[in-house]
Amino acid sequence: LAKTTQPISMDSYEGQEVNITCSHNNIATNDYITWYQQFPSQGPRFIIQGYKTKVTNEVASLFIPADRKSSTLSLPRVSLSDTAVYYCLVGPAVQGGKLIFGQGTELSVKP
Amino acid sequence: EPEVTQTPSHQVTQMGQEVILRCVPISNHLYFYWYRQILGQKVEFLVSFYNNEISEKSEIFDDQFSVERPDGSNFTLKIRSTKLEDSAMYFCASSGEVGLGETQYFGPGTRLLVL
């Protein structure tokens, strides 16, 4: 499984757009990029998944350059409730496959 | 929206005691998992389960651990003789509703404290 590197922490203010970049230089051809969010004392929650270019849903956007060696999770207009740890995971999208979590990025949104 | 549920939310036990953590996965899901997270550390994979048998397990999942799907809805994790280092949040997850991809949905967790 490809190793991922992301910032340990980030600070932002309400209403700002937040971009969290994840490096995954050894991503394999059949790997997908998935982001999860975790609030304190809660289980991780799926945010978004992509393979290449751009993916957007009601919560976030995921930008993946052509070489796929990095990806950026974009959270538009964050609020205090977006304060959480965000994990970038890279691996094959197979049924039953284990998820390998790193340390994640602790996002703190301030008023 | 369907969700994974777990009971109990908190469990305190004495070292050496057996504990059973319970999970109700999302109905129609076919794959089930247990993860744990020691306070301040990463979420770690323990075991995956499909078609009534273990698909994969990590080094953490030793002989003290077992999983079972005793009926059509529950999925349990048993720790036979708890150790202090088993204190952690334990998360159940499920995935694999046919045709809807492999996204894993996590439960709220059980906080286990071993004294």
Side-chain angles (χ1 to χ4, degrees), chain A residues 17-82:
Chain A
E17 177 184 81
V18 170
N19 296 307
I20 306 175
T21 296
C22 178
S23 297
H24 28 79
N25 290 318
N26 296 323
I27 189 168
T29 305
N30 61 340
D31 284 344
Y32 281 70
I33 300 149
T34 309
W35 286 80
Y36 276 79
Q37 173 193 56
Q38 186 181 28
F39 298 113
S41 299
Q42 293 188 29
R45 174 175 159 256
F46 171 84
I47 302 176
I48 198 166
Q49 183 182 72
Y51 183 81
K52 62 180 179 180
T53 62
K54 178 183 174 183
V55 180
T56 297
N57 61 23
E58 64 277 7
V59 176
S61 294
L62 179 59
F63 298 92
I64 305 167
D67 66 6
R68 303 200 329 122
K69 292 184 184 301
S70 67
S71 58
T72 298
L73 174 73
S74 181
L75 305 171
R77 297 179 299 283
V78 294
S79 63
L80 296 177
S81 62
D82 292 315

Side-chain angles (χ1 to χ4, degrees), chain A residues 78-100:
Chain A
V78 294
S79 63
L80 296 177
S81 62
D82 292 315
T83 294
V85 179
Y86 292 82
Y87 299 97
C88 165
L89 288 77
V90 172
V94 294
Q95 295 282 15
K98 65 185 176 189
L99 297 179
I100 305 295

Side-chain angles (χ1 to χ4, degrees), chain B residues 5 9-10 13-14 19 25 29 41 51 55 57 61 68 75 77-78 82 84 88 90 94 104 111:
Chain B
T5 58
S9 58
H10 295 77
T13 190
Q14 296 290 326
V19 295
H29 277 191
Q41 297 188 24
N51 200 26
S55 304
K57 59 183 180 180
F61 195 88
E68 193 178 32
F75 180 50
L77 174 70
K78 182 194 291 186
T82 50
L84 296 177
Y90 287 81
S94 69
Q104 294 185 26
R111 183 178 296 279

Side-chain angles (χ1 to χ4, degrees), chain B residues 29-90:
Chain B
H29 277 191
L30 303 173
Y31 297 84
F32 314 110
Y33 316 80
W34 283 101
Y35 293 81
R36 79 170 187 191
Q37 186 174 32
I38 295 171
L39 186 63
Q41 297 188 24
K42 297 184 287 188
V43 177
E44 300 174 290
F45 168 78
L46 292 178
V47 66
S48 58
F49 191 86
Y50 170 71
N51 200 26
N52 281 320
E53 60 183 28
I54 291 174
S55 304
E56 185 176 2
K57 59 183 180 180
S58 71
E59 291 178 353
I60 303 168
F61 195 88
D62 61 21
D63 292 343
Q64 293 299 313
F65 292 87
S66 62
V67 289
E68 193 178 32
R69 188 157 162 82
D71 53 42
S73 60
N74 291 287
F75 180 50
T76 62
L77 174 70
K78 182 194 291 186
I79 310 175
R80 288 192 186 83
S81 178
T82 50
K83 307 185 190 73
L84 296 177
E85 54 265 36
D86 293 327
S87 294
M89 282 286 284
Y90 287 81

